[in-house]
C-alpha cells in the first residue's frame, strides 16, 4: 500500500547526560525523537564540523557506501509504536548498468545522521506524522 510521504526538516538537537532529543518539523508540526547520548554526540560533532581523531560508526558506514559506489537516496520514518519510531534507509547502487534500490531497516537517529552527512531528504509517512505528539517551544 502506498503512503503519502511528508518531507521533514531537522529543527534542533538537545542533549542531556541520559538521552538526546532530535526535533523534526513538517507542516507546522514539531515532534521529538529520543535516542541515546552517543548518537547526540555524533550528530553534534557532524553539525559543528568537529574534527575527530578516528572515524565514528557513521563515518565508517559512509566510507563503506562511498567505496562500494552506493548512494543514500532517502530516509523514511515509516512507523511509530508506543514511543518508538522506525525508519527505512533507501540506498542505490548501479551494477552492470542496472540500478538497484535497497531498503534497509534502521533506527531513525542513525538514518538522520547519514542523511545530513549526504544531504538527502528525510521523510515520514502521513500516518506517522498524524500520530506524533506535537511539541511546543
Amino acid at each position: 500500500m502506498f503512503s503519502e510521504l511528508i518531507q521533514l526538516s531537522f529543527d534542533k538537537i538537545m542533549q542531556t547526560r541520559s538521552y538526546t532529543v532530535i526535533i523534526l518539523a513538517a507542516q507546522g508540526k514539531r515532534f521529538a525523537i529520543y535516542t541515546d547520548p552517543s548518537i547526540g554526540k555524533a550528530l553534534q560533532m557532524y553539525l559543528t564540523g568537529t574534527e575527530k581523531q578516528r572515524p565514528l560508526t557513521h563515518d565508517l558506514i559512509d566510507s563503506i557506501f562511498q567505496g562500494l559506489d552506493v548512494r543514500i537516496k532517502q530516509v523514511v520514518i515509516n512507523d511509530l509504536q508506543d514511543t518508538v519510531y522506525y525508519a527505512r534507509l533507501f540506498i542505490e547502487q548501479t551494477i552492470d548498468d542496472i540500478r538497484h534500490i535497497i531498503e534497509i531497516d534502521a533506527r531513525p537517529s542513525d538514518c538522520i545522521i547519514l542523511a545530513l552527512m549526504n544531504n538527502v531528504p528525510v521523510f515520514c509517512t502521513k500516518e506517522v506524522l498524524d500520530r506524533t505528539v506535537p511539541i511546543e517551544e
Side-chain angles (χ1 to χ4, degrees):
M1 181 174 104
F2 178 75
S3 180
E4 180 184 353
L5 297 181
I6 312 292
Q7 188 162 356
L8 299 174
S9 61
F10 175 78
D11 192 48
K12 66 177 162 181
I13 181 173
M14 296 181 293
Q15 183 94 11
T16 72
R17 284 187 188 182
S18 53
Y19 61 88
T20 296
V21 182
I22 299 170
I23 309 294
L24 300 171
Q27 298 183 342
K29 185 177 187 179
R30 296 165 65 236
F31 65 96
I33 293 179
Y34 292 82
T35 187
D36 63 87
S38 64
I39 296 292
K41 184 176 180 184
L43 186 53
Q44 285 181 326
M45 290 176 80
Y46 170 73
L47 291 171
T48 59
T50 303
E51 282 292 317
K52 298 166 276 224
Q53 289 184 332
R54 302 288 300 135
L56 299 177
T57 304
H58 300 94
D59 300 313
L60 171 65
I61 293 167
D62 198 51
S63 293
I64 291 169
F65 283 173
Q66 288 178 21
L68 296 173
D69 200 22
V70 170
R71 287 186 32 228
I72 299 172
K73 296 298 287 179
Q74 68 183 19
V75 170
V76 177
I77 299 173
N78 67 328
D79 198 8
L80 170 60
Q81 296 178 17
D82 296 318
T83 59
V84 178
Y85 288 88
Y86 295 81
R88 307 296 284 179
L89 179 68
F90 289 83
I91 60 173
E92 173 186 83
Q93 184 179 36
T94 302
I95 301 171
D96 297 329
D97 294 327
I98 299 172
R99 188 173 76 155
H100 301 270
I101 304 285
I102 302 162
E103 184 178 340
I104 302 168
D105 181 32
R107 298 185 308 179
S109 54
D110 292 325
C111 290
I112 290 167
I113 293 175
L114 289 169
L116 287 170
M117 289 172 74
N118 289 279
N119 196 30
V120 298
V122 177
F123 298 94
C124 73
T125 63
K126 182 172 183 342
E127 293 80 12
V128 167
L129 185 62
D130 290 345
R131 292 175 38 220
T132 62
V133 176
I135 59 167
E136 304 302 325
E137 200 47 55

